[in-house]
Amino acid sequence: MQTTEPKEQEWDEVFNLMSWWDSDRVRRARVLVVGAGALGNEVLKNLALLNVGEIFLIDFDRIEYTNLSRSVLYRESDLGKLKAEVAAERVRDINPNVKIHWINGDIIYDLGLGLIDSVDVIIGCLDNRVARLYLNRFAHRLDKVWINAGIINLAGMLDVFQPGVSCYECGLSGKDWDQIRKRMGCTDIAKRNASFGRLPTTPISASILGAMQVQEAFKVIYGNEAELTADRRYFYDGRANESIYYPARPLRQDCQSHEEWPDITHNQRLNHRMTVSQLLDELEQTYPGQEVAVLLDYDVITELYSQESERSSKILLPRFRISDQVYAAHQFIAGELVSIPNSGMLNRVDRSFPQQDATLYDIGIPPWQILQVEAGPNLYHVSLFGDADHYSTAKSTMHV
């Protein structure tokens, strides 16, 4: 069997006929793709063909038979396999010059903000409001452009969300918020992220909208943010073959997504494998003379109470890892109610935290996270920079 080395210069030969094409800039680009469904397949295909240097892909789902009719990267032999893993393999088949790293996980809890901070642009290929809301908040915190699209029937829509210009959360309606609250009540990640019923979509609309997402992403890669369509929303009507633009929804002053995290400190000595005690030791050395604490965006559950049994059980799990199976394991009488007492919920990690020998990952902190650190009266943002090479391997399975 003969093998050939990738011929990157020859790959770019036709693109270089365009006077504005900059091969080096494209090869240096780092793009995060969130979602590997129909849209994600088209986005990944285009990024591979355009020779984008490095792609990070996150998806938590597995391939089903219904995916095959709309997803160019999947085959019948892939049924049951992880979408992110298979999509990454197909990208390498298309263009071996491209580095692609796949993560089997949930964008909300399994992806460190340090990785998001390191990419040039984010492309959202999602089909639910909860994931879009959190991705929007993460992007705004780190001053990143993210490009959202959705498809239905022969139609599709595209939004470019650019901090200070446009915002996904600002456009949410009361009905949208009702659905978000309902989904966030689900402890099961798959249930929370699943669509309510199936939406009719076609590979045609996916192809058109996915191509437009990549086209907008290239404006960011080239530093042409002024040319982005962030000030207006795009709608494609496939039946009439019409393109319609609407003004972007106005920004709200009280929107939670507008929080910014400037002046992030990159600490090479911090990583997700260290214990709570080791983390606090390092932070106390960094901010001497101050009481330090890490503030979490979620609760760590330290206790469950089985009501009919009147039995309290000590545990240590982030709330988003509390599954129906965990509750069932604490039903000592069939069908009894298992609750979380207020005293069993913590969203602050300091010297009073009950298990100082727990790792950061044990309490829900993913690799290369950016921590909110309270030191005396001040709040700092500190990156677990010791994890910076964590995503440089071919795969990362955070949550299966």
Side-chain angles (χ1 to χ4, degrees), residues 7 41 61 70 228 278 283 290 300 310 326:
K7 298 179 179 179
N41 271 234
D61 210 354
R70 294 161 294 131
L228 289 168
Q278 290 170 335
L283 293 177
Q290 303 289 342
V300 176
E310 297 184 349
V326 172

Side-chain angles (χ1 to χ4, degrees), residues 110-182:
D110 293 328
L111 190 66
L113 297 186
L115 173 62
I116 297 177
D117 190 41
S118 77
V119 302
D120 298 297
V121 63
I122 306 161
I123 303 179
C125 305
L126 298 157
D127 63 356
N128 75 86
R129 293 172 178 82
V130 174
R132 286 182 176 125
L133 172 64
Y134 276 84
L135 182 55
N136 186 72
R137 290 182 176 179
F138 297 158
H140 275 71
R141 285 177 187 176
L142 303 170
D143 195 28
K144 298 292 180 180
V145 172
W146 79 280
I147 301 155
N148 174 58
I151 53 176
I152 182 169
N153 290 323
L154 292 175
M157 49 74 61
L158 179 138
D159 290 286
V160 178
F161 296 113
Q162 182 179 17
V165 180
S166 51
C167 170
Y168 176 76
E169 185 169 355
C170 286
L172 291 174
S173 66
K175 184 178 179 181
D176 293 332
W177 278 111
D178 288 342
Q179 292 195 10
I180 287 172
R181 294 186 187 99
K182 181 178 180 180

Side-chain angles (χ1 to χ4, degrees), residues 24-67:
D24 290 337
R25 185 187 288 266
V26 177
R27 289 177 196 144
R28 291 194 304 268
R30 292 163 60 93
V31 180
L32 172 62
V33 178
V34 185
L39 271 173
N41 271 234
E42 293 295 331
V43 165
L44 291 166
K45 176 204 72 178
N46 290 331
L47 292 174
L49 292 175
L50 290 167
N51 210 28
V52 166
E54 197 158 15
I55 303 168
F56 298 88
L57 169 64
I58 181 167
D59 192 291
F60 74 100
D61 210 354
R62 292 181 181 271
I63 299 168
E64 299 177 2
Y65 194 84
T66 54
N67 298 131

